[in-house]
Amino acid sequence: MVLICVIYLEKSLHEPMYFLVCSQAANGLYGGTALLPSLLSNILSGFYEVSLACCLTQIFAIHTYAIVEFTILAAMSYDRYVAICYPLQYHSIMSLSRTYKLITLVWLYPLLAFLLVFVLTLQLRFCQNTIEKLYCHNHSLVKLSCTDTSLVNAVGLLSVALYSLPQLVMVLYSYVHILRICMQLPRQSRLKAFRTCMPGLASVANYSVGCFLEIVQSRLEGGHLPFRAKAFLSIYFLIMPPIINPVIYGMSFNAIRVPLLRLLWLLWRRGR
């Protein structure tokens, strides 16, 4: 929230990259809100039940959070690609109007991508009621159905490919071309370009590892892993990226770090 406030208040940060950082922080709040209140309520109350309506709401929120996060990372990689490979045309390619359209697409595409799977899940009839996860997960809920789920499973697997492969291609394409350009630059310019890309690469790596762990333990049933290990792996992508990303961007970009520290200093002085 502090990062969002800094980007909103500091006019010099009203640039495409920082708008995307702001969107990523907002998505982290969205994903955390989908998980943490219900999780903390269960822990404090010892009451581990949830209504079907609340479960479906959590499924929609968590899955759309996951797709939005990966889509934002792809948009960030494209922004860095344009900035490094086409520096003179950057402000014309990444104009504010195009940035707003890109951010709108970042939020709308995941909602539409997951909608078909979600609608199919709504039509199922359930005859079991135990989900062995810390939150409601679409595949875990589908397994509780007493009707044929082959169509939902097939569409679910296809959807995973559709809402992850385009982003993965964009990320790989962008950073491969950035690397190619960087190798042609003088040493000082190369280091500057690498520093610009490192926060995005760190975010991609952190989130990709979390998603991979969740997909593996969810689809393959975690093998012989104990429940506590599976529980940790399943919530990593929901907990760690929203915690780590603001720190990465807040400390890596001098344009964010300086006003951020100034704002924190003012808040501390007022508190005294």
Side-chain angles (χ1 to χ4, degrees), residues 7 13-23 96 99-100 103:
I7 293 173
L13 296 178
H14 292 184
E15 297 286 338
M17 182 60 184
Y18 303 120
F19 284 144
L20 291 170
V21 170
C22 190
S23 294
L96 284 181
T99 302
Y100 295 147
I103 291 174

Side-chain angles (χ1 to χ4, degrees), residues 152-227:
V152 182
N153 288 326
V155 173
L157 287 172
L158 179 62
S159 297
V160 169
L162 289 178
Y163 55 62
S164 61
L165 282 180
Q167 293 93 319
L168 182 61
V169 169
M170 176 60 72
V171 169
L172 292 176
Y173 177 86
S174 298
Y175 286 117
V176 165
H177 279 271
I178 288 171
L179 180 62
R180 180 177 59 84
I181 293 295
C182 286
M183 298 310 294
Q184 301 172 5
L185 295 174
R187 185 175 182 275
Q188 200 65 28
S189 300
R190 188 189 312 159
L191 291 176
K192 183 178 179 181
F194 278 135
R195 282 197 300 269
T196 303
C197 294
M198 282 309 296
L201 283 170
S203 292
V204 169
N206 183 41
Y207 183 70
S208 299
V209 167
C211 284
F212 176 76
L213 294 175
E214 155 59 14
I215 291 171
V216 168
Q217 71 85 27
S218 177
R219 290 283 174 176
L220 302 181
E221 309 300 335
H224 60 279
L225 288 176
F227 177 77

Side-chain angles (χ1 to χ4, degrees), residues 230-248:
K230 292 193 291 183
F232 172 75
L233 296 179
S234 70
I235 63 172
Y236 182 93
F237 80 107
L238 282 162
I239 298 290
M240 298 311 295
I243 292 175
I244 293 175
N245 288 339
V247 177
I248 291 175

Side-chain angles (χ1 to χ4, degrees), residues 97-143:
S97 62
R98 288 184 180 176
T99 302
Y100 295 147
K101 292 177 183 177
L102 181 61
I103 291 174
T104 303
L105 178 64
V106 160
W107 285 92
L108 283 181
Y109 168 72
L111 299 178
L112 297 175
F114 182 64
L115 198 56
L116 177 59
V117 180
F118 189 65
V119 168
L120 291 175
T121 302
L122 290 176
Q123 297 175 354
L124 296 176
R125 185 165 55 87
F126 305 100
C127 50
Q128 300 180 62
N129 60 4
T130 302
I131 295 178
E132 293 187 359
K133 293 181 79 72
L134 299 181
Y135 58 88
C136 288
H137 178 268
N138 193 69
H139 182 63
S140 299
L141 183 63
V142 168
K143 290 193 299 183

